[in-house]
Amino acid sequence: MIKDIKNICCIGAGYVGGPTMAVIADKCPEIIVNVVDINAKRIEAWNNSSIEKLPIYEPGLGEIIKRRRGKNLHFSTDIKKFISEADMIFISVNTPTKTKGIGAGKASDLKWVESSTRQISKYANGSTIVVEKSTLPVRTAQTIKKILELSSSKNSQKSFSVLSNPEFLSEGTAINDLVNPDRVLIGGDDKNAIEKLIKIYLNWVQKEKIITTNLWSSELSKLIANAFLAQRISSINSITALCESTGADVKEVSQAIKTDHRIGKFFLNPSPGFGGSCFKKDILNLVYICDHYGLHEVSSYWQKVVDINDWQSKRILEIIVEKLFGNIAGKKISILGFSFKANTNDTRESPAIRICKGLLEEGCNLSIYDPKVSVDQIDKDLECPPLIKLNDSNKLKRWELANSVIDSATDSHAIVIVTEWDEFQDLNWELISQKMRSPSWLFDTRSICNIEEAKLYGINIWRIGAAENIFY
Ligand code: NAD
Ligand code: UGA
């Protein structure tokens, strides 16, 4: 019999572990929630007295941390202690694509899942429910169970139940997604353990929204949800090119198809491609699994979603170079937005990285402005350090971090909108046009700018999927 849940440990204090546990601690004040991580710097940032210095930027997160931290929510590197005290342990570690060995470039790298499972098997006491929160290939629970069984067979005081409870939050809206989820999915075969987890969610989620399935359906549903979302983006992005060639406008096409309730209104915004740590890796993992089971037609179907995504950012890069007379060497280009989407400081797989690297290869100078991404992060992503001043001609690859849109636009030949931050929707085009070089260009890869106003001030416009691109 599993005792009532009083103490939770979450392994992994990242974009999922941090916000998810903060919400559980907020909604269940009677439960102690300890979030542990091997990354001491990250834990230190979670414990920073200044809420602005939390390791991740997520609207609404700071308030919850202020309310619960030090009360029933704790961040620590003492993995052994907090695993040993827990009744329920969430595994929220990273599961990136393997970079070498068998399945490199497609399969998920499960080394962090395995190492956390081994930590659990070593330090857990009594009956423990282990919950997969990370996104995992279907049937990973089998491996987790096997590792844990080795430990329980040696020690009769230990027993484990493994559940799958994938996370569907999106960055930038994580707190709202956690507080008002579309559904909570729990997969498992131990009814008692499932009931314990349901009981936690019932503190704020309606019963009808909690779906239970077998372990494999739950694991697979997470991959499929991401694959379907990404597929919609690749579908609309493939149509952007067709619109540009035919005189149709993707904004109008998107609006027209969205009104069909069977198609639905979400995830049809054109873009330079989807980014984020998960869509690409989860689809590649799906491709790998399909190939593993000999389902090659299925795997090539999903592979195309990733191919269109890579093609879209490459296509945009080529358009920028072509419009600037096929030569951008020595020209200053303003990049507005570097995170993979608005309202996050996360840059993983951001289309900005692909576009900026390509532009730098062509020899231009980039002035990058993003409201939340740090200079160190961009340095890591572009694999070259910034220059203090762009006019240092000794360096081949050049970029600087600008303090504002105007700072970035000054003396630039072109502005490229890469992320859909709110502040880019209503820019002062009169002032910007005075600061830019002539002829000046705006490349709106998200179709969010006030194009009519920018046109008034003589700026050349390229808008993604636009019927009419204006040239002066
Ligand atoms: P992340 O890289 O931000 O965080 C993972 C953390 O786990 C890191 O801080 C790392 O140091 C820590 N870790 C790794 N091994 C450890 C170990 N053995 N012991 C202690 N700590 C360890 O990753 P994330 O974005 O939070 O994603 C985590 C999982 O959740 C992934 O499987 C991802 O696919 C899934 N997911 C992510 C999101 C998202 O929006 N980022 C949404 C839903 C699901
Ligand atoms: C996505 C899913 O939406 C979450 O449900 C899931 O939990 C998460 O992945 C995960 O497993 O990690 P996230 O990547 O945080 O969430 O953000 P999204 O809002 O899905 O955006 C992903 C990318 O698609 C962004 O680059 C965004 O700009 C792009 N996008 C989104 C478009 O290009 N067009 C759209 O219409 C919507």
Side-chain angles (χ1 to χ4, degrees), residues 251-296:
K251 263 191 151 174
E252 293 175 355
V253 173
S254 166
Q255 193 52 37
I257 63 170
K258 274 175 186 173
T259 50
D260 185 326
H261 72 275
R262 295 166 304 172
I263 295 175
K265 62 182 180 181
F266 298 105
F267 272 66
L268 291 176
N269 295 326
S271 67
F274 54 76
S277 61
C278 296
F279 278 175
K280 188 172 178 180
K281 79 147 165 86
D282 291 346
I283 298 178
L284 290 175
N285 184 223
L286 181 62
V287 166
Y288 183 74
I289 293 169
C290 293
D291 278 332
H292 171 81
Y293 288 104
L295 303 169
H296 305 299

Side-chain angles (χ1 to χ4, degrees), residues 156 172 177 213 275 277 306-307 397 451:
S156 60
D177 296 340
T213 65
S277 61
V306 175
D307 294 347
K397 291 183 176 182
I451 295 296

Side-chain angles (χ1 to χ4, degrees), residues 382-408:
L382 296 183
E383 297 167 292
C384 68
L387 294 189
I388 306 300
K389 283 197 165 43
L390 275 180
N391 57 11
D392 179 349
S393 53
N394 297 324
K395 298 269 169 66
L396 276 176
K397 291 183 176 182
R398 295 177 288 202
W399 67 275
E400 66 172 4
L401 186 69
N403 292 324
S404 65
V405 171
I406 293 296
D407 196 14
S408 172

Side-chain angles (χ1 to χ4, degrees), residues 231-419:
Q231 178 200 45
R232 284 172 71 91
I233 302 168
S234 278
S235 297
I236 200 71
N237 278 344
S238 71
I239 301 306
T240 57
L242 187 59
C243 287
E244 288 156 29
S245 302
T246 57
D249 186 327
V250 77
K251 263 191 151 174
E252 293 175 355
V253 173
S254 166
Q255 193 52 37
I257 63 170
K258 274 175 186 173
T259 50
D260 185 326
H261 72 275
R262 295 166 304 172
I263 295 175
K265 62 182 180 181
F266 298 105
F267 272 66
L268 291 176
N269 295 326
S271 67
F274 54 76
S277 61
C278 296
F279 278 175
K280 188 172 178 180
K281 79 147 165 86
D282 291 346
I283 298 178
L284 290 175
N285 184 223
L286 181 62
V287 166
Y288 183 74
I289 293 169
C290 293
D291 278 332
H292 171 81
Y293 288 104
L295 303 169
H296 305 299
E297 285 76 10
V298 186
S299 78
S300 48
Y301 174 76
W302 288 107
Q303 178 65 48
K304 272 285 163 227
V305 173
V306 175
D307 294 347
I308 287 286
N309 200 52
D310 293 342
W311 169 77
Q312 179 77 332
S313 49
K314 188 162 170 275
R315 186 177 84 80
I316 290 173
L317 168 67
E318 286 168 0
I319 289 171
I320 297 170
V321 177
E322 186 214 311
K323 298 286 184 218
L324 298 182
F325 307 120
N327 165 43
I328 57 170
K331 293 179 180 169
K332 177 178 171 182
I333 296 183
S334 154
I335 301 290
L336 298 188
F338 199 83
S339 57
F340 80 95
K341 63 184 278 197
N343 295 318
T344 177
N345 62 345
D346 194 349
T347 62
R348 290 178 288 181
E349 295 293 336
S350 175
I353 301 174
R354 304 192 284 275
I355 292 173
C356 289
K357 278 187 166 176
L359 292 171
L360 287 170
E361 285 299 319
E362 292 293 319
C364 72
N365 304 320
L366 295 180
S367 183
I368 302 171
Y369 169 71
D370 187 288
K372 290 290 170 195
V373 179
S374 70
V375 73
D376 291 347
Q377 188 57 50
I378 302 176
D379 179 351
K380 260 189 227 152
D381 290 334
L382 296 183
E383 297 167 292
C384 68
L387 294 189
I388 306 300
K389 283 197 165 43
L390 275 180
N391 57 11
D392 179 349
S393 53
N394 297 324
K395 298 269 169 66
L396 276 176
K397 291 183 176 182
R398 295 177 288 202
W399 67 275
E400 66 172 4
L401 186 69
N403 292 324
S404 65
V405 171
I406 293 296
D407 196 14
S408 172
T410 300
D411 288 332
S412 69
H413 293 254
I415 290 177
V416 186
I417 307 276
V418 188
T419 313

Side-chain angles (χ1 to χ4, degrees), residues 10-20 36-40 42-43 46 56 58 76-77 79 83 91-96 108 110-119 133-136 166-172 174 222-223 226 276-279 281-282 340-341 346 348:
C10 174
I11 306 182
Y15 284 85
V16 166
T20 311
V36 296
D37 205 294
I38 41 176
N39 183 339
R42 213 167 203 184
I43 290 296
W46 279 112
I56 66 175
E58 192 60 64
S76 172
T77 50
I79 297 171
I83 286 181
I91 300 178
S92 281
V93 300
N94 35 323
T95 51
S108 291
L110 296 178
K111 69 170 171 256
W112 292 275
V113 173
E114 180 168 343
S115 68
S116 30
T117 307
R118 287 187 187 279
Q119 287 164 323
K133 194 43 117 177
S134 296
T135 302
L136 298 168
E167 185 47 61
F168 295 99
L169 68 79
S170 294
E171 290 178 31
K222 172 62 199 180
L223 290 185
N226 274 359
S277 61
C278 296
F279 278 175
K281 79 147 165 86
D282 291 346
F340 80 95
K341 63 184 278 197
D346 194 349
R348 290 178 288 181

